[in-house]
Amino acid sequence: MLIDPTITWRLAETRLAAETDPRRRGILTTMIAHMRAEAAADVDAIMATVSPHASYRNLGASPVDRAPKNPAEIRAFYQRLADGDCYRQALDVETITLDSDTAFIQGHMRMAYPGRIVAAMGREVDDPDAHYLYESRMAIFWAFDADGLVSAEDTYPTGDGLAGLRKLAADEIPPAPSAVYLTAG
């Protein structure tokens, strides 16, 4: 499978197993729960990891930051992703840098975007029912509040992830989001 959601949290789980600092363990635990909830497209579980004072930014690929700026916008953002079947994704996290209030991760992002969503973005697709590959290097800066909840998720993708637009074969994408991702294993 080209897009395996479980690689998103694999390095964080490895890091958690070796981490002894309680605050850093809490941050890693929250980050893993957030990643797994995204893979499950479980908006309530995602929001359980988000601070009531959270604000996101999306920088790098576009001069316009359209990221949600408060929890209501963040919930609506995640709900639109769930409703649009835009959670078939995997960030192959290559590095994690962690301190007591922040985490920085970076790696190779792959997403299976539904053709109808790609078309709504103004791209020409030959099959609106198919999935198309979004691919980019991505860095994400996470900040955490005093309770260990996500207070910022700032994403930095590189370039136009749809530049090499290609239709994905069924065996390249994960099945629809599932609650199976919410449990360790």
Side-chain angles (χ1 to χ4, degrees), residues 132-164:
Y132 291 82
L133 180 63
Y134 170 98
E135 197 164 23
S136 175
R137 295 289 307 165
M138 186 171 289
I140 303 174
F141 171 83
W142 302 65
F144 297 86
D145 68 11
D147 296 320
L149 298 174
V150 178
S151 61
E153 186 178 333
D154 299 347
T155 57
Y156 298 84
T158 60
D160 178 359
L162 294 170

Side-chain angles (χ1 to χ4, degrees), residues 2-154:
L2 178 67
I3 300 172
D4 175 6
T6 66
I7 65 170
T8 304
W9 54 83
R10 195 170 296 152
L11 184 60
E13 286 182 336
T14 300
R15 179 77 186 264
L16 177 62
E19 184 59 61
T20 59
D21 179 80
R23 172 67 178 175
R24 290 181 180 158
R25 287 186 60 78
I27 286 171
L28 287 164
T29 299
T30 298
M31 192 165 57
I32 292 164
H34 187 95
M35 292 168 163
R36 285 176 168 275
E38 283 185 352
D42 186 326
V43 176
D44 289 335
I46 294 168
M47 293 308 296
T49 69
V50 174
S51 169
H53 308 289
S55 180
Y56 286 13
R57 290 187 299 176
N58 185 330
L59 305 163
S62 170
V64 179
D65 174 15
R66 293 184 177 92
K69 302 300 180 210
N70 60 58
E73 290 180 8
I74 292 168
R75 176 178 283 282
F77 166 77
Y78 285 122
Q79 191 63 58
R80 279 191 308 277
L81 292 177
D83 294 346
D85 188 23
C86 295
Y87 276 116
R88 298 176 198 231
Q89 63 186 6
L91 176 60
D92 188 359
V93 177
E94 297 165 358
T95 60
I96 297 175
T97 303
L98 184 67
D99 70 16
S100 61
D101 295 312
T102 60
F104 177 83
I105 63 174
Q106 66 85 26
H108 189 99
M109 172 64 87
R110 289 188 175 114
M111 303 169 82
Y113 267 110
R116 68 190 183 298
I117 301 294
V118 176
M121 294 176 181
R123 306 293 175 116
E124 199 167 313
V125 297
D126 65 350
D127 183 357
D129 295 323
H131 284 82
Y132 291 82
L133 180 63
Y134 170 98
E135 197 164 23
S136 175
R137 295 289 307 165
M138 186 171 289
I140 303 174
F141 171 83
W142 302 65
F144 297 86
D145 68 11
D147 296 320
L149 298 174
V150 178
S151 61
E153 186 178 333
D154 299 347

Side-chain angles (χ1 to χ4, degrees), residues 163-178:
L165 190 65
R166 86 168 172 86
K167 190 184 313 184
L168 292 166
D171 64 351
E172 292 181 297
I173 62 173
S178 165

